[in-house]
Amino acid sequence: MAFIDSTVVNVALPAIQSNFHTTVVNVQWVVESYGLFLGALILVGGSLGDLFGRRLVFVAGVAIFAAASAGCGMASTIDRLILARSIQGVGAALLVPGSLAMISTSFDGKSRGRAIGTWSGFTAITTAIGPVLGGWMLAHTSWRWAFFINLPLAAVVMIISLWRIPESRSQVSEGVDWWGGLLATLGLGGLVNGFIESVNLGWRNPVVIVSLLVGFGGLIGFMLVEAVVTSPMLPLALFASRSFAGANLLTLFLYAAIGIFFFLFPLDLIQVQGYSTTATGAAVLPMILLLFFLSRWSGGLVSRYGARGPLVMGPLVAALGFALFAAPSVGATYWRAFFPAVIVLGLGMAITVAPLTTVVMNSISQDRVGTASGINNALARVAGVLAIAVLGIVMVKAFASRLDGSLARFSLPPAIVEQLQANEIKLAGLQVPAGLDPSTQAAIEASIGEAFVFGFRIVMLTCAGLSLASAAVGWFMIEKDLTAPATSPERAATGAPGGGAQKARS
């Protein structure tokens, strides 16, 4: 449910924008509202499962997710869709951490490793099939089925969960960090709202200023609370490990680039390049297949070469992939222009993901691996949320600047120019006003496409820069020979290496 929903919605964004005749700001909120609550509350969801029962919280999360999915599918306005997506994010924050937690408590030893491997395989398969199935579904039905498909899945999941999965809870859970969850949500929400609305309202607007102040204040308050609360959702002591801090900083940079890429790429293919939703869904399939088939190989790189090498080389290859995405112009063919970039980016991510997970799990003591994994997962989602908010501004400004320059070359009535400029926030979804002669209309449409590509290139080059920053973090902060879990607080704090490569591969 969670993986299908995230991939299908990205493909559905152009259809949603067209259906509601809305701006890219509201389209951003369709993605951001979900990611915001999921990223801010995922650690709270894990704590609730430990306290009240993992199956109970998981099933509750599935029920909330399904109800919100129905609300998304029936939304009559963009505001109602955004509200339903927010509730969907809350449900996801309850169900996502529960899935692996239930596996961990239901299996032990070698069977647990195989069970987690099976879980990973199915998520990879779902991620691969989701965009293609979603694209086909959107082409033949409606974007609303991207959400309605969750209803029968949720029913099956709840029946299986209650029938086959035993209840479990932590014997040492100390409670839920409610203040941390509230301040994290308030801080991230304030920042995201301030950045996104600045495109519409301008930086000096009181709403933008207050949102940013609330956002920064909330995050500062969050850090202060986490330093003193008894059971923090983000234990700051873990960041005493240089490798753990480096792995999470690398995650922040790299997944910020991935987040904005998956937001803009479908808009480029559908609205500018003229691809169908099915073709758009299949466009990134080679990348996902590379991640699936190379994950075992890349996991062994740490035991063979140490952690630092793969976490430098992978982001460097990903940077090249992002740079290749900056090359195609309007009308570029997939196999010559986009396929090489997809392959290179997929290879870079395949080299990075498994070693990154290994470093996160091995850089702290074994009794904190669940918390460490949750922090890294949450940070990856928050990185995407912030990237879409911040780099979305870059995209809109670059698009508007390029389009304004192109419009100056046409002899257009001032009212037409003003109408076009007032709707530049729609990006490639901008409609040319009626009443122009066909040649002028075609020229303006071509200018809109070229302006989008111009902005897309700037963002992709920025993503390449973020990937290079990830490689630098890997070089300077990741311990070279981190191949086994830390077994003591002292080793966890220093990120000292140890033996046990076979355990790391498992």
mmCIF file of all heavy atoms in Angstrom, residues 21-48:
data_model
loop_
_atom_site.group_PDB
_atom_site.id
_atom_site.type_symbol
_atom_site.label_atom_id
_atom_site.label_comp_id
_atom_site.label_asym_id
_atom_site.label_seq_id
_atom_site.Cartn_x
_atom_site.Cartn_y
_atom_site.Cartn_z
ATOM 1 N N HIS A 21 -7.192 22.452 -12.237
ATOM 2 C CA HIS A 21 -6.732 23.724 -12.816
ATOM 3 C C HIS A 21 -5.958 24.532 -11.775
ATOM 4 O O HIS A 21 -6.224 25.728 -11.562
ATOM 5 C CB HIS A 21 -7.923 24.540 -13.350
ATOM 6 C CG HIS A 21 -8.779 23.779 -14.314
ATOM 7 N ND1 HIS A 21 -8.373 23.488 -15.603
ATOM 8 C CD2 HIS A 21 -10.019 23.231 -14.180
ATOM 9 C CE1 HIS A 21 -9.336 22.797 -16.228
ATOM 10 N NE2 HIS A 21 -10.338 22.636 -15.380
ATOM 11 N N THR A 22 -5.009 23.875 -11.151
ATOM 12 C CA THR A 22 -4.333 24.484 -10.017
ATOM 13 C C THR A 22 -2.872 24.771 -10.324
ATOM 14 O O THR A 22 -2.351 24.405 -11.380
ATOM 15 C CB THR A 22 -4.455 23.555 -8.785
ATOM 16 O OG1 THR A 22 -3.998 24.251 -7.635
ATOM 17 C CG2 THR A 22 -3.632 22.282 -8.972
ATOM 18 N N THR A 23 -2.193 25.397 -9.386
ATOM 19 C CA THR A 23 -0.795 25.788 -9.550
ATOM 20 C C THR A 23 0.128 24.682 -9.056
ATOM 21 O O THR A 23 -0.293 23.726 -8.397
ATOM 22 C CB THR A 23 -0.498 27.072 -8.761
ATOM 23 O OG1 THR A 23 -0.592 26.771 -7.353
ATOM 24 C CG2 THR A 23 -1.487 28.168 -9.104
ATOM 25 N N VAL A 24 1.415 24.847 -9.347
ATOM 26 C CA VAL A 24 2.395 23.871 -8.883
ATOM 27 C C VAL A 24 2.527 23.920 -7.360
ATOM 28 O O VAL A 24 2.934 22.934 -6.732
ATOM 29 C CB VAL A 24 3.758 24.120 -9.560
ATOM 30 C CG1 VAL A 24 4.454 25.343 -8.971
ATOM 31 C CG2 VAL A 24 4.663 22.897 -9.427
ATOM 32 N N VAL A 25 2.160 25.040 -6.728
ATOM 33 C CA VAL A 25 2.206 25.124 -5.270
ATOM 34 C C VAL A 25 1.243 24.111 -4.657
ATOM 35 O O VAL A 25 1.598 23.364 -3.736
ATOM 36 C CB VAL A 25 1.869 26.551 -4.789
ATOM 37 C CG1 VAL A 25 1.610 26.573 -3.286
ATOM 38 C CG2 VAL A 25 2.998 27.504 -5.137
ATOM 39 N N ASN A 26 0.020 24.062 -5.148
ATOM 40 C CA ASN A 26 -0.944 23.088 -4.629
ATOM 41 C C ASN A 26 -0.545 21.667 -4.978
ATOM 42 O O ASN A 26 -0.780 20.738 -4.194
ATOM 43 C CB ASN A 26 -2.345 23.392 -5.175
ATOM 44 C CG ASN A 26 -2.971 24.599 -4.509
ATOM 45 O OD1 ASN A 26 -2.741 24.866 -3.338
ATOM 46 N ND2 ASN A 26 -3.755 25.354 -5.255
ATOM 47 N N VAL A 27 0.052 21.473 -6.158
ATOM 48 C CA VAL A 27 0.560 20.153 -6.521
ATOM 49 C C VAL A 27 1.669 19.738 -5.550
ATOM 50 O O VAL A 27 1.758 18.574 -5.143
ATOM 51 C CB VAL A 27 1.064 20.155 -7.973
ATOM 52 C CG1 VAL A 27 1.751 18.833 -8.310
ATOM 53 C CG2 VAL A 27 -0.093 20.392 -8.941
ATOM 54 N N GLN A 28 2.522 20.702 -5.176
ATOM 55 C CA GLN A 28 3.548 20.411 -4.181
ATOM 56 C C GLN A 28 2.921 19.947 -2.871
ATOM 57 O O GLN A 28 3.404 19.003 -2.242
ATOM 58 C CB GLN A 28 4.401 21.658 -3.915
ATOM 59 C CG GLN A 28 5.439 21.955 -4.990
ATOM 60 C CD GLN A 28 6.179 23.241 -4.682
ATOM 61 O OE1 GLN A 28 5.646 24.329 -4.875
ATOM 62 N NE2 GLN A 28 7.392 23.121 -4.199
ATOM 63 N N TRP A 29 1.847 20.608 -2.461
ATOM 64 C CA TRP A 29 1.211 20.256 -1.194
ATOM 65 C C TRP A 29 0.604 18.864 -1.228
ATOM 66 O O TRP A 29 0.492 18.206 -0.179
ATOM 67 C CB TRP A 29 0.161 21.284 -0.816
ATOM 68 C CG TRP A 29 0.714 22.451 -0.060
ATOM 69 C CD1 TRP A 29 0.717 23.754 -0.447
ATOM 70 C CD2 TRP A 29 1.355 22.421 1.222
ATOM 71 N NE1 TRP A 29 1.322 24.538 0.506
ATOM 72 C CE2 TRP A 29 1.730 23.741 1.539
ATOM 73 C CE3 TRP A 29 1.657 21.397 2.118
ATOM 74 C CZ2 TRP A 29 2.385 24.069 2.720
ATOM 75 C CZ3 TRP A 29 2.310 21.718 3.300
ATOM 76 C CH2 TRP A 29 2.666 23.036 3.595
ATOM 77 N N VAL A 30 0.175 18.387 -2.401
ATOM 78 C CA VAL A 30 -0.342 17.024 -2.509
ATOM 79 C C VAL A 30 0.735 16.019 -2.089
ATOM 80 O O VAL A 30 0.454 15.020 -1.422
ATOM 81 C CB VAL A 30 -0.826 16.738 -3.945
ATOM 82 C CG1 VAL A 30 -1.186 15.267 -4.118
ATOM 83 C CG2 VAL A 30 -2.032 17.612 -4.287
ATOM 84 N N VAL A 31 1.975 16.288 -2.458
ATOM 85 C CA VAL A 31 3.089 15.429 -2.075
ATOM 86 C C VAL A 31 3.575 15.763 -0.668
ATOM 87 O O VAL A 31 3.810 14.872 0.167
ATOM 88 C CB VAL A 31 4.248 15.575 -3.082
ATOM 89 C CG1 VAL A 31 5.452 14.747 -2.657
ATOM 90 C CG2 VAL A 31 3.799 15.166 -4.479
ATOM 91 N N GLU A 32 3.712 17.055 -0.379
ATOM 92 C CA GLU A 32 4.326 17.492 0.868
ATOM 93 C C GLU A 32 3.486 17.162 2.092
ATOM 94 O O GLU A 32 4.020 16.820 3.154
ATOM 95 C CB GLU A 32 4.577 19.002 0.815
ATOM 96 C CG GLU A 32 5.556 19.453 -0.259
ATOM 97 C CD GLU A 32 6.984 19.133 0.091
ATOM 98 O OE1 GLU A 32 7.316 17.933 0.135
ATOM 99 O OE2 GLU A 32 7.762 20.053 0.328
ATOM 100 N N SER A 33 2.167 17.294 1.986
ATOM 101 C CA SER A 33 1.311 17.058 3.146
ATOM 102 C C SER A 33 1.457 15.617 3.637
ATOM 103 O O SER A 33 1.497 15.356 4.845
ATOM 104 C CB SER A 33 -0.152 17.367 2.810
ATOM 105 O OG SER A 33 -0.575 16.627 1.674
ATOM 106 N N TYR A 34 1.548 14.685 2.709
ATOM 107 C CA TYR A 34 1.737 13.274 3.069
ATOM 108 C C TYR A 34 3.119 13.050 3.679
ATOM 109 O O TYR A 34 3.265 12.486 4.765
ATOM 110 C CB TYR A 34 1.556 12.411 1.814
ATOM 111 C CG TYR A 34 1.838 10.941 2.014
ATOM 112 C CD1 TYR A 34 0.884 10.094 2.569
ATOM 113 C CD2 TYR A 34 3.057 10.388 1.632
ATOM 114 C CE1 TYR A 34 1.136 8.743 2.741
ATOM 115 C CE2 TYR A 34 3.316 9.038 1.802
ATOM 116 C CZ TYR A 34 2.353 8.223 2.358
ATOM 117 O OH TYR A 34 2.620 6.888 2.531
ATOM 118 N N GLY A 35 4.163 13.518 2.974
ATOM 119 C CA GLY A 35 5.530 13.302 3.445
ATOM 120 C C GLY A 35 5.824 14.014 4.746
ATOM 121 O O GLY A 35 6.604 13.524 5.570
ATOM 122 N N LEU A 36 5.196 15.169 4.953
ATOM 123 C CA LEU A 36 5.424 15.951 6.170
ATOM 124 C C LEU A 36 4.998 15.181 7.413
ATOM 125 O O LEU A 36 5.767 15.015 8.364
ATOM 126 C CB LEU A 36 4.669 17.279 6.073
ATOM 127 C CG LEU A 36 4.642 18.159 7.323
ATOM 128 C CD1 LEU A 36 6.049 18.613 7.669
ATOM 129 C CD2 LEU A 36 3.738 19.363 7.094
ATOM 130 N N PHE A 37 3.763 14.676 7.420
ATOM 131 C CA PHE A 37 3.272 13.959 8.595
ATOM 132 C C PHE A 37 3.932 12.594 8.741
ATOM 133 O O PHE A 37 4.185 12.140 9.866
ATOM 134 C CB PHE A 37 1.749 13.823 8.519
ATOM 135 C CG PHE A 37 1.025 15.087 8.871
ATOM 136 C CD1 PHE A 37 0.636 15.986 7.886
ATOM 137 C CD2 PHE A 37 0.742 15.391 10.193
ATOM 138 C CE1 PHE A 37 -0.011 17.163 8.209
ATOM 139 C CE2 PHE A 37 0.087 16.571 10.537
ATOM 140 C CZ PHE A 37 -0.287 17.458 9.540
ATOM 141 N N LEU A 38 4.235 11.941 7.631
ATOM 142 C CA LEU A 38 4.924 10.657 7.717
ATOM 143 C C LEU A 38 6.323 10.837 8.293
ATOM 144 O O LEU A 38 6.728 10.125 9.211
ATOM 145 C CB LEU A 38 4.990 10.009 6.328
ATOM 146 C CG LEU A 38 5.810 8.723 6.218
ATOM 147 C CD1 LEU A 38 5.325 7.671 7.215
ATOM 148 C CD2 LEU A 38 5.740 8.178 4.796
ATOM 149 N N GLY A 39 7.075 11.804 7.763
ATOM 150 C CA GLY A 39 8.439 12.016 8.224
ATOM 151 C C GLY A 39 8.504 12.478 9.668
ATOM 152 O O GLY A 39 9.374 12.047 10.436
ATOM 153 N N ALA A 40 7.563 13.352 10.071
ATOM 154 C CA ALA A 40 7.601 13.901 11.422
ATOM 155 C C ALA A 40 7.114 12.915 12.476
ATOM 156 O O ALA A 40 7.558 12.952 13.624
ATOM 157 C CB ALA A 40 6.762 15.173 11.489
ATOM 158 N N LEU A 41 6.209 11.998 12.095
ATOM 159 C CA LEU A 41 5.559 11.149 13.097
ATOM 160 C C LEU A 41 5.951 9.681 13.024
ATOM 161 O O LEU A 41 5.460 8.872 13.821
ATOM 162 C CB LEU A 41 4.032 11.264 12.960
ATOM 163 C CG LEU A 41 3.437 12.657 13.188
ATOM 164 C CD1 LEU A 41 1.931 12.631 12.969
ATOM 165 C CD2 LEU A 41 3.766 13.172 14.576
ATOM 166 N N ILE A 42 6.819 9.301 12.096
ATOM 167 C CA ILE A 42 7.145 7.877 11.926
ATOM 168 C C ILE A 42 7.801 7.306 13.178
ATOM 169 O O ILE A 42 7.551 6.162 13.564
ATOM 170 C CB ILE A 42 8.026 7.669 10.672
ATOM 171 C CG1 ILE A 42 8.171 6.177 10.370
ATOM 172 C CG2 ILE A 42 9.385 8.333 10.828
ATOM 173 C CD1 ILE A 42 8.813 5.903 9.031
ATOM 174 N N LEU A 43 8.631 8.108 13.866
ATOM 175 C CA LEU A 43 9.255 7.624 15.088
ATOM 176 C C LEU A 43 8.240 7.535 16.230
ATOM 177 O O LEU A 43 8.312 6.647 17.078
ATOM 178 C CB LEU A 43 10.417 8.541 15.488
ATOM 179 C CG LEU A 43 11.587 8.562 14.504
ATOM 180 C CD1 LEU A 43 12.646 9.561 14.964
ATOM 181 C CD2 LEU A 43 12.190 7.180 14.366
ATOM 182 N N VAL A 44 7.272 8.444 16.241
ATOM 183 C CA VAL A 44 6.184 8.359 17.219
ATOM 184 C C VAL A 44 5.365 7.101 16.969
ATOM 185 O O VAL A 44 4.956 6.402 17.909
ATOM 186 C CB VAL A 44 5.293 9.611 17.146
ATOM 187 C CG1 VAL A 44 4.068 9.447 18.045
ATOM 188 C CG2 VAL A 44 6.080 10.850 17.554
ATOM 189 N N GLY A 45 5.130 6.776 15.695
ATOM 190 C CA GLY A 45 4.386 5.566 15.353
ATOM 191 C C GLY A 45 5.076 4.317 15.863
ATOM 192 O O GLY A 45 4.428 3.398 16.383
ATOM 193 N N GLY A 46 6.402 4.264 15.736
ATOM 194 C CA GLY A 46 7.140 3.133 16.270
ATOM 195 C C GLY A 46 7.019 3.027 17.780
ATOM 196 O O GLY A 46 6.853 1.931 18.337
ATOM 197 N N SER A 47 7.081 4.156 18.456
ATOM 198 C CA SER A 47 6.959 4.162 19.922
ATOM 199 C C SER A 47 5.556 3.723 20.357
ATOM 200 O O SER A 47 5.400 3.000 21.354
ATOM 201 C CB SER A 47 7.251 5.568 20.456
ATOM 202 O OG SER A 47 8.574 5.957 20.161
ATOM 203 N N LEU A 48 4.529 4.161 19.641
ATOM 204 C CA LEU A 48 3.160 3.755 19.969
ATOM 205 C C LEU A 48 2.998 2.243 19.834
ATOM 206 O O LEU A 48 2.324 1.605 20.651
ATOM 207 C CB LEU A 48 2.167 4.477 19.060
ATOM 208 C CG LEU A 48 1.932 5.962 19.346
ATOM 209 C CD1 LEU A 48 1.096 6.591 18.236
ATOM 210 C CD2 LEU A 48 1.256 6.157 20.692
#
